[in-house]
Amino acid sequence: DPSLKQMASRMSVNPKKMKLGVAVVGSESSWRAANTESIKNAAAQDLGIDLIMQNAEGSQDKQIEIIRSFIQQRVDVIAFTPIVESGWDDVLAEAKVAGIPVILTDRKVKLEDDSLWTTFIGSDFVEEGRRAARWLVEHKPVSGETQIVELQGTAGSAPAIERRQGFEEVLTQNAGFRVIASEVGDFTTESGQQLMSKVLQQGAIPQVVFAHNDDMALGAIKAIEQMGLKPGKDIIVISVDATKLAFQAMLAGKLNMSVECNPLLGPQIIKAAKDLATGKEIPVNIITAESIFSQETAKRDVTTRKY
Ligand code: AHR
């Protein structure tokens, strides 16, 4: 019966569903996997949300294309994690002209015109860098100069720029620390391993490695072991994220500490998107509360770790 068919198709379309376009950075780390899952799960639990999620696979050009496709599809809200800080002026101006509010999740942008985005939901990366350095100052391994190798995340990305900034800020206020090499990677385990191997093969044996995320630290740990040294003992390894894998490495004595960076932003993103779609005022910055984790408490904390 054609009229029944028509009715059935009308019933399956919920006119009140809000279309949310999410442009994910990529699949570079276990942190990112947890972040992506958190957004998917939060959207799935909300019957009012129609989630369109696309993965930019680490390419800014691709992420811009994805945002343009969201504008063409006339989504109600766009949420995205900018791979790098700059280069978003044009595409975000297009979203503004189309009347689509933009939420920045996890990473910030550098723009002339900050009216091109509505709210930022994520961590204070500068503070994360400071926390890593403060721990190091308290646990200075040698009385003389402490030599550090820094393994940076993706060039031009907010977490790489800001973690470095916070780390340096605290170290320059304390005597006896020197960064002997600062290598640029991309937040992957492979890049951490490659960069650390390169540094060690060049003959530099630092007392400390500061990796901008756990995955890079895990790669560095492999490289240190390949050189016949003991990570966590011969070379102190510190990083950011505090994922389950980092807890396991702490329990094994190979990672000394990790600064927490919470990826579970899904519920806040969904709430902000709904508030924006219904014209509610929302805060400009929604910053996650975080702490640090070390080997001393890893055993207790690993049991409650969700990612
Ligand atoms: O933007 C957050 C960072 O990106 C995380 O610390 C890192 O693991 C991820 O890839």
Side-chain angles (χ1 to χ4, degrees):
D1 177 341
S3 67
L4 265 183
K5 259 196 195 144
Q6 263 178 11
M7 212 194 321
S9 83
R10 264 207 306 276
M11 278 166 66
S12 67
V13 181
N14 179 350
K16 281 197 199 114
K17 268 204 172 192
M18 191 201 98
K19 267 194 191 171
L20 171 63
V22 175
V24 178
V25 162
S27 316
E28 74 282 7
S29 63
S30 48
W31 188 100
R32 185 67 54 205
N35 178 252
T36 305
E37 269 309 296
S38 168
I39 301 170
K40 271 193 203 157
N41 288 344
Q45 278 164 28
D46 195 316
L47 295 175
I49 298 281
D50 180 6
L51 176 71
I52 310 163
M53 189 183 250
Q54 301 267 332
N55 189 324
E57 285 152 20
S59 149
Q60 180 175 29
D61 288 344
K62 186 153 187 203
Q63 205 173 24
I64 290 173
E65 252 174 55
I66 293 170
I67 296 171
R68 289 214 165 103
S69 81
F70 289 158
I71 297 170
Q72 265 161 19
Q73 291 172 61
R74 308 216 138 273
V75 298
D76 298 292
V77 177
I78 292 172
F80 87 112
T81 301
I83 295 176
V84 288
E85 282 189 334
S86 358
W88 304 102
D89 305 70
D90 291 348
V91 71
L92 295 190
E94 291 164 31
K96 190 177 178 185
V97 169
I100 303 172
V102 171
I103 299 175
L104 302 177
T105 80
D106 162 36
R107 298 184 184 177
K108 283 188 177 156
V109 290
K110 277 217 162 69
L111 288 176
E112 292 272 300
D113 177 3
D114 277 326
S115 77
L116 299 183
W117 55 276
T118 56
T119 186
F120 166 75
I121 303 174
S123 306
D124 181 343
F125 295 141
V126 181
E127 186 56 26
E128 289 174 350
R130 288 191 197 115
R131 285 187 178 138
R134 281 190 206 118
W135 183 91
L136 190 57
V137 169
E138 274 175 36
H139 297 82
K140 196 171 187 301
V142 287
S143 51
E145 183 179 80
T146 300
Q147 302 196 332
I148 304 161
V149 167
E150 180 180 30
L151 302 178
Q152 297 186 40
T154 309
S157 71
I161 294 168
E162 297 184 347
R163 284 173 188 162
R164 178 159 204 229
Q165 185 192 326
F167 189 71
E168 277 181 356
E169 182 194 301
V170 171
L171 287 192
T172 50
Q173 292 160 2
N174 291 276
F177 294 94
R178 191 160 68 93
V179 177
I180 56 166
S182 190
E183 302 285 335
V184 179
D186 59 4
F187 288 118
T188 61
T189 306
E190 297 72 43
S191 76
Q193 182 170 3
Q194 237 170 42
L195 295 173
M196 195 59 206
S197 291
K198 190 182 93 180
V199 170
L200 292 172
Q201 274 158 18
Q202 284 166 352
I205 310 284
Q207 280 94 37
V208 180
V209 177
F210 168 46
H212 281 190
N213 79 337
D214 289 340
D215 296 68
M216 291 184 82
L218 295 174
I221 286 171
K222 281 193 201 158
I224 294 169
E225 286 176 330
Q226 272 165 4
M227 286 292 283
L229 296 166
K230 284 202 171 71
K233 293 189 180 72
D234 298 329
I235 300 179
I236 288 179
V237 185
I238 62 179
S239 65
V240 185
D241 280 351
T243 57
K244 242 195 182 126
L245 289 175
F247 275 86
Q248 280 152 13
M250 283 194 272
L251 284 173
K254 296 179 180 185
L255 180 71
N256 299 77
M257 83 97 165
S258 188
V259 177
E260 183 177 34
C261 181
N262 189 347
L264 307 178
L265 305 175
Q268 283 159 297
I269 295 169
I270 298 302
K271 180 175 185 315
K274 286 171 81 180
D275 285 350
L276 283 171
T278 51
K280 274 193 202 148
E281 287 243 345
I282 59 171
V284 179
N285 285 300
I286 302 173
I287 308 294
T288 324
E290 288 157 352
S291 59
I292 68 165
F293 295 95
S294 62
Q295 289 180 351
E296 288 71 46
T297 57
K299 211 174 187 164
R300 184 194 70 203
D301 298 324
V302 72
T303 52
T304 53
R305 214 63 196 153
K306 290 200 182 66
Y307 53 91

